[in-house]
Amino acid sequence: MKNLIDGKWVESSNGKTLNDINPSTGEVFDTFPASTKDDVDRAMDAAYTTFEKWNDLGSKERGRIIRRAGDLIQASRKELEDLLVKECGKIRPQAIDETDGVLDQIYYYSNFERKLTGDVVEGDTSMRKIFQYKVPHGVVLALTPWNFPAAMVARKLAPALMTGNSVVMKPSSDTPVIAEWLVKKFQQAGVPDGVLNMLTGKGSEIGDYMVAHKKVSLITMTGSTEVGQRIMEKASANMSKLILELGGKAPFIVWNDADIEKALTTLVWAKFWNAGQSCIAAERVYLHEDIAKKFMEKFTTITKNFRVGDPESAQMGPLINSSAVKNMEQVVNAAKENGMEIIAGGNVPKLSGKFSKGFFYSPTLIGDADQKSSVFQDEIFGPVIGVKNVNDWDETIKLANDSRFGLASYLFTEDNKRIFQAAEAVRFGELYVNMPGPESSQGYHTGFRLTGQAGEGSKYGIEDYLKLKNLYVDYSREKLKLSSVPGF
Ligand code: NAP
């Protein structure tokens, strides 16, 4: 695959490439350019010089182009689904769901055409007004992760382009081909040369240079908190605006009056969806002790029997790479050393044939998890989950809030008062009550604490791609006297 710079698909300036690996088999799936500083400069120049023209096109026309990209994706969606299975290891139904999600984002954002409004505010004296209106930032640097490699690309490209910004995107080095496929659809739909550019390469090698590039005005990044913090530091070079969607550690509370079956089904989804590699994954379960035994019996049986393997037929596919498997092993070993019980899983499953070299890990359940342990404090990002019994409501809310991260949280109870108490008390961007996620395009996906800043989705998410500008106008007929100017 290649980079897209100023409308042309090109190699990196020094011709170097990196390997893209199929996580189900460990085999090389493709190669991608290891971009250089020179490539970055050329992509930034192209985005910088074309952005005003793109903005001048108006939102009606931009909306039409973005919708056309959606139509092109829909027409050949099976190719995208196949890539999601092969390059990312998604099980087939989840590849189909993610493709639906891509289309939902694109059509949702494209419909903001002619809907962006501002304010007219009265001035300090009569016959004066302040017009507050929104303009694009300019060049958006979009950095995307591998866990939802198509949905995250769509969720950044559609609002950034819709609002009249131009884009330089760098997708995850684990899933560049999916990003390339989507970018081609936007190009075919009519996004002009230079407005949308894509560069691949290791974030650890070219990331700092991209982030601090003087032509960038806004950086939107979905990824880990560690990288988000580094971006924040480097972005100070330009005072770039930041949209950072970072790590999560969702608490999952099941109270004693909960609909147990609903909670169970949701937990299976919230932990094993995408092999637990989701920012809104349930990462720590707080079970009311009255229902804990019954709940755990059922959840243990489900966990032990969950089918892992070939993404075309299993319930759970591989993790993204070998270091993700090592992370699971570390979490489980540390839990064992600290006396926690491994109730189910805790191993690399033995798979045959081509899948024997894939990056799989068994669904794993850790009992009696310690609140202070890594199991309950660090983002696991895989199919491993800890459970702790609770009985006091206020204490449970305190435990839920005791996290560096603050993205999603879950509550199962039939008590309306508790629902509203939790809504007030939990310090998370999302609380799902008696239901699974994921977030909707019309919701504002955002988090507290180290989960980042700003958000995506809804009118608030699209406004994050815009800057508010002020026009001060005096339309009185009176002469301006120095004595009426402040300070004289
Ligand atoms: P990551 O390692 O932080 O990488 C995210 C993106 O940043 C990749 O494109 C990566 O490129 C790039 N990058 C790495 N170092 C960089 C640097 N120094 N400067 C600029 N860019 C750099 O995250 P990931 O492993 O792909 O994704 C998993 C994380 O994403 C989890 O923590 C998860 O919770 C989070 N996530 C959050 C949300 C949300 O909405 N809050 C949604 C999905 C995922 P390379 O691939 O080349 O390293």
Side-chain angles (χ1 to χ4, degrees):
M1 64 158 293
K2 290 184 176 163
N3 281 334
L4 177 65
I5 301 177
D6 204 8
K8 290 177 195 67
W9 291 94
V10 291
E11 313 277 353
S12 72
S13 64
N14 63 11
K16 283 198 180 147
T17 58
L18 294 161
N19 285 341
D20 179 18
I21 307 292
N22 173 341
S24 302
T25 62
E27 287 159 2
V28 174
F29 176 68
D30 205 340
T31 59
F32 59 95
S35 302
T36 61
K37 288 182 178 174
D38 178 53
D39 298 323
V40 175
D41 287 342
R42 283 185 298 120
M44 293 292 176
D45 283 348
Y48 193 78
T49 49
T50 51
F51 123 80
E52 275 175 8
K53 228 170 156 191
W54 174 242
N55 184 39
D56 288 348
L57 206 58
S59 73
K60 185 177 174 189
E61 181 60 13
R62 290 197 301 271
R64 200 177 62 80
I65 292 173
I66 294 167
R67 268 194 301 284
R68 201 188 298 144
D71 296 346
L72 291 167
I73 291 165
Q74 173 64 29
S76 47
R77 58 174 292 160
K78 175 75 171 45
E79 288 172 25
L80 178 60
E81 291 162 14
D82 289 348
L83 284 177
L84 284 160
V85 174
K86 288 197 186 115
E87 193 186 31
C88 190
K90 302 253 168 190
I91 61 167
R92 181 62 63 173
Q94 291 172 14
I96 295 170
D97 277 357
E98 184 161 348
T99 305
D100 287 340
V102 164
L103 292 165
D104 190 60
Q105 302 277 348
I106 288 176
Y107 290 130
Y108 177 77
Y109 282 115
S110 71
N111 284 328
F112 273 91
E113 62 158 71
R114 292 173 288 168
K115 289 201 182 71
L116 295 170
T117 56
D119 295 306
V120 182
V121 182
E122 60 179 324
D124 290 348
T125 57
S126 69
M127 310 301 267
R128 284 185 177 179
K129 289 279 181 285
I130 307 165
F131 295 80
Q132 296 182 313
Y133 60 101
K134 292 159 197 153
V135 295
H137 283 262
V139 177
V140 169
L141 172 62
L143 301 160
T144 58
W146 49 265
N147 65 335
F148 292 96
M152 295 300 115
V153 166
R155 185 151 90 182
K156 295 197 186 303
L157 294 190
L161 293 172
M162 188 60 217
T163 43
N165 294 284
S166 58
V167 178
V168 175
M169 179 174 72
K170 195 208 84 63
S172 163
S173 296
D174 286 305
T175 50
V177 177
I178 290 167
E180 179 198 40
W181 190 92
L182 284 165
V183 165
K184 280 188 173 156
K185 299 297 167 210
F186 279 87
Q187 194 187 22
Q188 282 165 23
V191 174
D193 291 353
V195 171
L196 173 56
N197 305 272
M198 185 184 95
L199 297 178
T200 57
K202 286 270 165 221
S204 53
E205 283 161 22
I206 49 161
D208 285 358
Y209 188 69
M210 295 184 97
V211 167
H213 202 282
K214 57 181 183 304
K215 293 201 166 138
V216 171
S217 297
L218 184 156
I219 301 167
T220 174
M221 179 266 194
T222 299
S224 62
T225 291
E226 294 69 27
V227 173
Q229 285 173 320
R230 187 177 178 92
I231 287 173
M232 197 164 187
E233 221 180 284
K234 303 286 169 195
S236 68
N238 289 321
M239 286 292 165
S240 291
K241 162 131 188 220
L242 296 173
I243 301 172
L244 296 173
E245 302 290 342
L246 311 175
K249 187 73 193 168
F252 192 100
I253 303 170
V254 188
W255 211 243
N256 58 357
D257 57 355
D259 177 333
I260 299 286
E261 292 305 321
K262 217 180 208 185
L264 259 173
T265 307
T266 303
L267 183 57
V268 171
W269 169 82
K271 183 72 269 187
F272 302 135
W273 182 48
N274 207 31
Q277 304 170 113
S278 147
C279 55
I280 59 165
E283 287 253 333
R284 48 202 172 110
V285 182
Y286 297 103
L287 278 184
H288 193 285
E289 59 188 20
D290 292 354
I291 48 96
K293 190 162 177 286
K294 188 173 159 202
F295 190 95
M296 283 299 279
E297 274 170 12
K298 293 188 174 193
F299 190 55
T300 304
T301 307
I302 295 170
T303 306
K304 284 186 171 163
N305 293 304
F306 219 65
R307 283 180 293 105
V308 182
D310 180 356
E312 290 294 357
S313 52
Q315 288 173 295
M316 201 176 91
L319 301 188
I320 192 67
N321 51 36
S322 57
S323 36
V325 176
K326 279 195 198 102
N327 287 347
M328 296 310 112
E329 287 174 334
Q330 268 170 14
V331 172
V332 170
N333 288 339
K336 278 188 201 156
E337 278 162 24
N338 287 307
M340 289 173 239
E341 186 191 357
I342 310 302
I343 300 171
N347 63 311
V348 170
K350 289 202 171 20
L351 298 174
S352 57
K354 60 179 181 177
F355 301 112
S356 62
K357 297 237 165 60
F359 311 125
F360 296 89
Y361 199 79
S362 299
T364 300
L365 185 51
I366 301 176
D368 206 11
D370 178 358
Q371 178 70 21
K372 298 272 166 258
S373 70
S374 171
V375 177
F376 265 31
Q377 290 297 328
D378 299 326
E379 188 180 39
I380 294 174
F381 223 61
V384 175
I385 192 158
V387 179
K388 181 181 177 59
N389 289 1
V390 290
N391 57 25
D392 181 86
W393 174 252
D394 292 335
E395 177 61 15
T396 305
I397 296 292
K398 234 190 241 171
L399 292 171
N401 279 336
D402 172 28
S403 172
R404 309 196 295 286
F405 307 101
L407 184 58
S409 54
Y410 299 83
L411 170 63
F412 286 78
T413 176
E414 296 296 309
D415 181 338
N416 287 340
K417 276 194 187 163
R418 286 197 199 280
I419 293 171
F420 284 101
Q421 284 165 13
E424 293 279 333
V426 300
R427 307 277 296 159
F428 289 82
E430 283 162 7
L431 172 63
Y432 294 92
V433 178
N434 298 329
M435 63 177 282
E439 69 275 13
S440 299
S441 298
Q442 70 277 24
Y444 186 57
H445 189 57
T446 187
F448 286 60
R449 301 181 288 279
L450 297 190
T451 291
Q453 51 177 267
E456 290 180 311
S458 80
K459 65 173 181 172
Y460 303 109
I462 203 150
E463 281 174 2
D464 281 335
Y465 282 89
L466 292 162
K467 203 164 170 59
L468 200 63
K469 209 169 161 180
N470 296 273
L471 168 69
Y472 285 78
V473 179
D474 181 322
Y475 47 96
S476 66
R477 292 180 195 282
E478 282 167 27
K479 281 197 175 152
L480 186 64
K481 296 189 199 112
L482 195 56
S483 60
S484 66
V485 175
F488 286 90

